[in-house]
């Protein structure tokens, strides 16, 4: 199946949406930077890529899983543009010289592997292009999607800190079950990975309390391995300035059929469980 993109401007969504807090806004802000599926027509990817390949790095339905956030006072910012087009959890200068003309210099391991701010590869490792992008193309994507997303997130974080003296970002993601490792005696491996950049992006008590709330619902939780947090966690993990950030990775096997990207038979049960955790998170008095 090839990817057919809408061409009607009326079908073009904004690059991200903000669901404001209902009622009294709390100290938490929710973000889902990889849940978008929209592929802009100017992407110019290989025409025979399957939808499964183009969606292979997508955090499918994570924005819907955490939709309870606004109902309990946590504004939610969620991407609508695909991660294959621009990765909102990479720094804007993480440019790939193998993909983008005019880029030179050393790069991180992630960028070298093809996963820069403008990815060269899909999540399944398939090449997205048979061409190089101009520097203007790459910068246009950053200017039109990445920059306004992070400006909006900054506005939410500063507003939360102004109200409560502290702001806590929960940056929500999903991980392939293969990345979660096996459970003893089999099973789906770790359920949740919390990333606080090895203690740098949040007070220790904050991470411990979040972990306890997940474990209280019977979930198996790991810390910082294999995901310690990305660009948003690094940007907003500044506890001494009143900003804290924790990345939350959800094992897709908890709610998704990974072969079809359709909800699994456990999706409703897990959604209800996660809503209980979100309600409990909203009741916490987060330390400054």
């Amino acid at each position: 199946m090839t990817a057919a993109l809408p061409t009607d401007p009326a079908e073009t969504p904004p690059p991200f949406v903000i669901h404001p807090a209902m009622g009294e806004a709390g100290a938490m802000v929710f973000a889902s930077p990889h849940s978008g599926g929209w592929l802009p027509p100017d992407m110019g990817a290989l025409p025979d890529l399957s939808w499964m390949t183009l969606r292979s790095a997508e955090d499918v339905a994570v924005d819907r899983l955490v939709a309870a956030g606004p109902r309990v006072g946590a504004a939610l910012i969620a991407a609508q543009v695909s991660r294959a087009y621009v990765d909102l959890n990479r720094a804007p200068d993480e440019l790939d010289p193998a993909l983008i003309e005019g880029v030179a210099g050393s790069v991180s391991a992630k960028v070298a592997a093809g996963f820069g701010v403008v990815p060269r590869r899909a999540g399944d490792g398939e090449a997205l292009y048979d061409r190089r992008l101009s520097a203007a193309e790459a910068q246009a994507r950053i200017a039109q999607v990445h920059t306004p997303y992070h400006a909006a997130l900054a506005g939410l974080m500063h507003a939360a800190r102004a109200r409560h003296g502290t702001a806590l970002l929960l940056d929500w993601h999903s991980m392939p079950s293969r990345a979660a490792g096996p459970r003893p005696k089999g099973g789906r491996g770790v359920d949740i990975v919390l990333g606080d950049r090895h203690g740098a992006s949040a007070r220790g008590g904050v991470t411990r309390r979040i972990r306890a709330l997940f474990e209280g619902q019977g979930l198996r939780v790991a810390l910082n391995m294999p995901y310690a947090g990305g660009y948003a966690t690094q940007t907003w993990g500044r506890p001494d300035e009143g900003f804290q950030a924790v990345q939350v990775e959800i094992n897709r096997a908890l709610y998704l059929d990974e072969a079809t990207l359709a909800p699994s038979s456990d999706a409703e049960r897990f959604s209800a469980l996660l809503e209980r955790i979100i309600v409990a998170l909203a009741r916490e008095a987060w330390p400054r």
Side-chain angles (χ1 to χ4, degrees):
M1 179 180 178
T2 59
L5 301 176
T7 56
D8 183 349
E11 298 181 38
T12 303
F16 59 89
V17 292
I18 296 175
H19 303 282
M22 301 176 187
E24 184 178 355
M28 288 193 303
V29 173
F30 284 7
S32 180
H34 292 157
S35 54
W38 164 244
L39 289 158
D42 68 355
M43 181 170 172
L46 284 163
D48 58 348
L49 293 174
S50 70
W51 273 117
M52 288 297 292
T53 285
L54 289 167
R55 300 187 69 189
S56 56
E58 181 183 329
D59 290 341
V60 178
V62 164
D63 55 340
R64 297 195 292 275
L65 283 176
V66 300
R71 297 198 295 272
V72 296
L76 167 63
I77 181 169
Q80 298 205 97
V81 168
S82 171
R83 183 182 186 181
Y85 185 76
V86 64
D87 191 331
L88 294 171
N89 206 30
R90 294 277 182 269
D93 60 356
E94 289 188 271
L95 299 169
D96 185 350
L99 175 66
I100 301 165
E101 295 173 349
V103 174
S106 61
V107 297
S108 68
K110 286 280 189 184
V111 175
F115 304 110
V117 64
V118 179
R120 174 165 41 93
R121 297 189 182 277
D124 63 4
E126 289 289 317
L128 290 168
Y129 304 95
D130 61 358
R131 64 187 181 95
R132 297 186 77 201
L133 306 187
S134 69
E137 282 181 274
Q139 291 300 331
R141 296 186 191 189
I142 292 167
Q144 294 165 9
V145 181
H146 191 282
T147 299
Y149 173 89
H150 284 284
L153 176 56
L156 295 173
M157 291 294 286
H158 280 281
R161 188 184 66 168
R163 288 190 302 266
H164 299 282
T166 188
L168 172 61
L169 171 65
L170 292 186
D171 205 48
W172 296 89
H173 298 260
S174 67
M175 59 184 173
S177 57
R178 67 178 182 275
R183 278 182 184 258
K185 301 181 181 179
R188 65 174 173 262
V190 170
D191 296 312
I192 302 292
V193 177
L194 300 179
D196 66 358
R197 299 189 65 82
H198 303 282
S201 69
R203 304 292 188 200
V206 168
T207 304
R208 287 194 296 272
R209 185 57 187 148
I210 295 171
R211 181 173 191 166
L213 290 174
F214 279 100
E215 291 179 336
Q217 293 294 323
L219 297 173
R220 187 175 180 219
V221 181
L223 184 61
N224 291 313
M225 292 296 291
Y227 305 104
Y231 176 64
T233 313
Q234 181 178 14
T235 299
W236 292 107
R238 312 197 306 265
D240 290 344
E241 299 175 37
F243 298 113
Q244 302 186 70
V246 176
Q247 181 170 293
V248 184
E249 294 275 356
I250 301 168
N251 187 334
R252 292 173 191 162
L254 290 166
Y255 71 97
L256 197 67
D257 181 331
E258 292 179 273
T260 64
L261 303 185
S264 70
S265 59
D266 290 329
E268 288 190 14
R269 182 195 66 80
F270 178 71
S271 180
L273 179 153
L274 188 58
E275 183 166 346
R276 292 194 294 273
I277 293 170
I278 289 170
V279 169
L281 287 166
R283 292 172 177 159
E284 293 289 321
W286 299 109
R288 300 182 185 184

